[in-house]
Amino acid sequence: MSDGTPAVVAKRVDAGESADLSEITDLARAAGYEVVGELSQSREEDAAFHFGEGKVDELTALAVDADAAVVIVDNRLGPYQTYNIGGKLPEGVEVIDRFTLILEIFGQRANTRKAQLQVELAELRYELPRAEAKASLAKRDERPGFMGLGEYDESREQDIKAQISRIKNELDAIADKEETRREQRRESGFDLVALAGYTNAGKSTLMRRLAEDLEVGENDDLHPDLDPTAESEDRLFTTLGTTTRRAETGTRDVLLTDTVGFVSDLPHWLVESFKSTLDSVYRADLVLLVVDASEPVEEMRDKLVTCHDTLYERNEAPIVTVLNKIDLVDPGELERKTEALRALAPNPVVVSGLTGENVSALADRIENELPEWREERLLLPMSDDSMSLVSWLYDHGHVENEEYDGENVLVEFAARPAIVEKARAKAADVRTGGAGTEAGAETDGGRRN
């Protein structure tokens, strides 16, 4: 849809609740619509129209008065509800629901093959029940056009199912490659940290702040997929795919990945369509859950619940809540919000990605929360192979001490357990293949973060 297309937004909430149209308005603007009117209703869902039929008549009058080309409903509409509302609206006025709108935004932002496939998969999963509804309406000889459902093609259902199967196979192949890449990164000594959170929480800005002191270019040969930029804009869904950069947190080598923002009330089929992207969160070593601290506390609570719901069950990593944008909040208010959210966000880190305030404390927290490293001592004979192993340890772990006595080198280091095991194997190779004193390996039994 071109920028500036006039649209009316509407929302139904259950009886006794109050409707908030701010998010759907932001989403509509993010998709390029100009919101020219809004309407809400508090009542139980009507099976035929979603709203009450009288409220749909009001919606029609509002669309006519505002000369709207689109009606955007901030709810999930069934195919027959879409059809029935469309039957009330003037000819040519399109009806779309919340998820159609989100898919439209995703489609505009999909710049990689994986993102494009995920959007296409979600669109097809959304369209399938509507194709089935159109088939049913066609059998009843309903009038052409299907009131916003689109034209009917009797072969469309099978086409959709075939395309879904094809895209899932391609996405599975991409996911397998990405999982292999994750394991290669871990084997290279990197810890994987994912930025997650509600859309527009400031994840991309925070990522730039954490990564600003290190050039990704030094790892281009090892990790050619690393993207040196992450957009930071005040709009929803700026980040659709994933962006990975190397971050300096202290002793650990960290790869930080920024991902698509969460949004409330997403159906299972939509989350499932973006599983490949969300895997970078689910399978990280640590998740930073970023929340906009400048928002009202109830909004923060609702968004934290949405994030936890999205992460629940699949997420394998510890979660650290990061209250971002503290430059927009006075200290007293921030303290009150932190206390009010303690059940959902115990012991959060408060930062400003924009100004850099407290980002060093966040780096320390990342170090403390990452999976524990093992401490090791290797006694090696003095040889070129031993020096190569010491160099390898600097690249894949944290060398704390090295001592030389003329014939041997003692190296003390900390690394993830898999790296320690590789180091021991390499030390054994040095012993069997090198000259000089026999190499040995000692484990002090200690563990550290």
Side-chain angles (χ1 to χ4, degrees):
M1 186 69 64
S2 59
D3 283 353
T5 299
V8 168
V9 296
K11 182 173 186 175
R12 183 203 60 80
V13 294
D14 290 336
E17 297 182 5
S18 58
D20 182 358
L21 291 161
S22 59
E23 184 178 85
I24 193 64
T25 298
D26 287 343
L27 287 168
R29 288 172 178 157
Y33 294 100
E34 178 190 0
V35 176
V36 294
E38 58 183 49
L39 175 146
S40 65
Q41 184 176 34
S42 176
R43 61 155 286 169
E44 299 307 311
E45 180 178 354
D46 180 82
F49 289 93
H50 187 80
F51 301 93
E53 189 170 359
K55 186 60 70 170
V56 177
D57 291 335
E58 285 183 44
L59 184 59
T60 299
L62 177 59
V64 171
D65 291 344
D67 197 24
V70 179
V71 169
I72 302 171
V73 179
D74 190 20
N75 302 93
R76 187 185 315 184
L77 294 180
Y80 292 103
Q81 292 172 334
T82 303
Y83 172 81
N84 291 334
I85 294 172
K88 293 268 192 177
L89 294 170
E91 187 174 354
V93 177
E94 185 181 3
V95 184
I96 65 174
D97 70 1
R98 174 185 182 84
F99 308 114
T100 311
L101 179 65
I102 290 171
L103 288 175
E104 192 171 314
I105 298 170
F106 281 179
Q108 293 169 2
R109 309 284 165 82
N111 296 321
T112 66
R113 176 63 178 165
K114 184 176 81 169
Q116 290 162 355
L117 286 169
Q118 290 177 131
V119 170
E120 189 178 350
L121 178 60
E123 289 172 342
L124 289 167
R125 282 176 163 157
Y126 184 80
E127 186 182 348
L128 184 58
R130 281 147 183 79
E132 293 166 346
K134 282 182 273 189
S136 175
L137 290 168
K139 290 173 184 175
R140 286 157 37 187
D141 294 325
E142 299 286 358
R143 74 185 178 102
F146 300 97
M147 315 302 187
L149 283 176
E151 294 299 328
Y152 170 62
D153 177 355
E154 63 181 338
S155 66
R156 183 60 181 148
E157 284 179 70
Q158 292 306 314
D159 287 345
I160 291 173
K161 291 174 181 176
Q163 288 181 68
I164 286 174
S165 179
R166 174 185 58 79
I167 292 171
K168 285 175 65 177
N169 288 338
E170 189 169 348
L171 283 172
D172 285 346
I174 292 173
D176 288 344
K177 290 178 181 177
E178 291 180 340
E179 179 60 23
T180 300
R181 187 181 300 126
R182 275 190 288 271
E183 291 312 309
Q184 288 172 340
R185 288 172 170 176
R186 287 190 174 105
E187 289 172 5
S188 297
F190 285 101
D191 293 292
L192 308 183
V193 177
L195 286 165
Y198 209 85
T199 185
N200 224 31
K203 298 185 300 299
S204 297
T205 300
L206 184 59
M207 179 184 191
R208 293 171 69 88
R209 178 65 64 176
L210 284 165
E212 68 179 359
D213 293 327
L214 253 174
E215 290 295 328
V216 176
E218 64 190 75
N219 280 314
D220 278 350
D221 292 338
L222 188 58
H223 304 296
D225 62 306
L226 298 196
D227 187 336
T229 62
E231 291 181 272
S232 299
E233 298 180 34
D234 186 21
R235 62 175 186 164
L236 302 182
F237 299 119
T238 299
T239 308
L240 181 57
T242 57
T243 301
T244 301
R245 295 186 71 183
R246 185 172 174 178
E248 178 65 77
T249 60
T251 61
R252 309 286 283 259
D253 281 328
V254 170
L255 290 179
L256 192 61
T257 297
D258 184 18
T259 64
V260 62
F262 300 154
V263 68
S264 63
D265 301 324
L266 290 184
H268 171 76
W269 58 263
L270 185 52
V271 175
E272 188 65 24
S273 297
F274 283 83
K275 177 181 176 296
S276 180
T277 290
L278 292 173
D279 273 349
S280 61
V281 177
Y282 298 144
R283 301 185 183 182
D285 297 310
L286 177 68
V287 175
L288 303 182
L289 181 54
V290 185
V291 182
D292 184 348
S294 70
E295 294 181 330
V297 70
E298 283 305 317
E299 196 167 334
M300 293 172 67
R301 179 179 285 109
D302 290 344
K303 291 181 177 182
L304 274 167
V305 168
T306 292
C307 294
H308 283 294
D309 285 347
T310 306
L311 294 170
Y312 180 67
E313 288 184 349
R314 280 189 179 166
N315 191 63
E316 301 170 359
I319 298 173
V320 172
T321 303
V322 181
L323 301 184
N324 191 26
K325 305 187 184 182
I326 61 170
D327 54 293
L328 302 177
V329 188
D330 69 64
E333 182 185 1
L334 180 62
E335 186 175 346
R336 289 190 294 273
K337 287 179 174 179
T338 302
E339 182 60 34
L341 297 170
R342 189 170 299 281
L344 283 168
N347 195 20
V349 182
V350 297
V351 304
S352 170
L354 185 64
T355 68
E357 183 179 356
N358 253 16
V359 169
S360 61
L362 175 58
D364 292 341
R365 182 71 176 275
I366 291 171
E367 289 262 320
N368 290 332
E369 296 286 348
L370 283 168
E372 291 180 324
W373 276 5
R374 277 172 50 189
E375 292 189 338
E376 286 291 297
R377 295 158 52 93
L378 293 179
L379 182 64
L380 304 165
M382 190 67 72
S383 68
D384 289 344
D385 287 342
S386 293
M387 294 303 97
S388 294
L389 176 51
V390 171
S391 177
W392 183 86
L393 289 172
Y394 272 100
D395 289 338
H396 293 79
H398 179 64
V399 175
E400 297 168 332
N401 182 46
E402 54 181 307
E403 298 177 6
Y404 298 87
D405 67 2
E407 294 184 346
N408 299 295
V409 55
L410 174 68
V411 57
E412 299 175 323
F413 68 99
R416 61 170 56 242
I419 296 298
V420 170
E421 293 307 315
K422 280 197 168 187
R424 292 172 66 87
K426 287 175 179 286
D429 288 343
V430 170
R431 180 183 65 234
T432 57
T437 306
E438 180 172 300
E442 306 173 34
T443 305
D444 66 6
R447 297 178 67 84
R448 55 163 295 189
N449 279 343

